[in-house]
Amino acid sequence: MRNVTELSKLNGKVYVYLRDEVIARRFLQDAENEGFTFGDGEKPTARPGNNLYVVNRDWTISHVGWAGHMAFQSAKRIGGQEMIRVDYERYLLGEENFVINKNNA
């Protein structure tokens, strides 16, 4: 079964794209159910949703600001790590091409 924990184990900086509010709520609830928090310990569902998050290996998620949104559109690496763009809806549906790249965006 695909989950947020498995995303945190990917080899790179994992950015999760959420197409709409329904998928965003699902991601935040899934992350919370698996024990993820924001860096300050706040539960994911306690904050307003966003369309882009980073999933970290330390069981935290992070909001992505404007610079992160710009990087999401064009960067290949961030902070020395490969940027992995995940479409959470595709990921949940079990699609093979859940990683967003120029060929399947």
Side-chain angles (χ1 to χ4, degrees), residues 17-20 23 86-95 98:
Y17 168 72
L18 308 162
R19 182 176 59 86
D20 60 28
I23 298 300
V86 173
D87 182 316
Y88 196 65
E89 184 175 31
R90 291 180 193 170
Y91 179 72
L92 287 179
L93 292 172
E95 293 184 18
F98 66 86

Side-chain angles (χ1 to χ4, degrees), residues 28-93:
L28 293 171
Q29 189 62 62
D30 289 350
E32 187 171 309
N33 290 346
E34 293 176 45
F36 284 82
T37 63
F38 285 102
D40 63 1
E42 186 90 33
K43 291 184 177 184
T45 60
R47 294 203 175 141
N50 200 347
N51 69 334
L52 199 57
Y53 290 89
V54 173
V55 176
N56 303 298
R57 291 178 182 259
D58 66 356
W59 293 87
T60 63
I61 61 172
S62 306
H63 280 283
V64 176
W66 68 269
H69 276 82
M70 290 178 62
F72 180 81
Q73 296 298 323
S74 60
K76 293 182 181 174
R77 299 185 69 76
I78 191 158
Q81 296 181 23
E82 177 185 358
M83 179 184 276
I84 302 170
R85 299 165 182 84
V86 173
D87 182 316
Y88 196 65
E89 184 175 31
R90 291 180 193 170
Y91 179 72
L92 287 179
L93 292 172

